[in-house]
Amino acid sequence: FPFRVCFCLAGHEIAIQFVLPVGCFAAMMNYGSHRRPLLTAPAMVGLMMIYMANEHDGPVHSRLPHELVHVLHCSEVFHRLFNVGGCILLLGSNYVSHRAAKGPDAICC
């Protein structure tokens, strides 16, 4: 039990201290390369989902209904869906933005 709690807390800290700043930086750089808000929108939604799943006492949570915040933090299923879904949106936006910046005929790895 204590290991699981420590592992969960470490995951929240990594998401807040690493994933969000690096994700924001990547989204800003991608937007700067293609200047298309629709390609950056999934990254912003993904970052918000990751924030909502991992932050406990932030300014966003104080404006949300208590029931929603409770479901996000007490239901492992919804917590994981928000976390993984946000990461998928963030990575997908990064991939599409990279392709858009390079052009349709570019060969990239």
Side-chain angles (χ1 to χ4, degrees):
F1 179 74
F3 176 74
R4 186 174 179 205
V5 171
C6 290
F7 189 71
C8 184
L9 292 174
H12 287 286
E13 284 301 310
I14 290 169
I16 297 297
Q17 301 294 328
F18 179 75
V19 174
L20 289 179
V22 171
C24 284
F25 181 72
M28 288 181 351
M29 296 305 291
N30 287 334
Y31 180 75
S33 68
H34 57 67
R35 301 266 185 218
R36 295 187 202 166
L38 287 177
L39 294 181
T40 306
M44 295 295 116
V45 171
L47 287 165
M48 184 57 82
M49 288 173 70
I50 293 167
Y51 174 79
M52 287 175 60
N54 291 288
E55 185 62 44
H56 292 286
D57 296 321
V60 174
H61 286 111
S62 63
R63 290 173 170 71
L64 293 175
H66 174 73
E67 294 79 17
L68 178 60
V69 174
H70 180 73
V71 166
L72 280 175
H73 294 287
C74 295
S75 168
E76 283 193 38
V77 173
F78 284 111
H79 178 78
R80 301 273 186 263
L81 284 175
F82 254 67
N83 229 353
V84 172
C87 289
I88 289 170
L89 285 172
L90 191 57
L91 291 170
S93 175
N94 191 33
Y95 175 77
V96 171
S97 294
H98 181 71
R99 297 289 299 206
K102 297 291 182 186
D105 298 328
I107 299 173
C108 62
C109 49

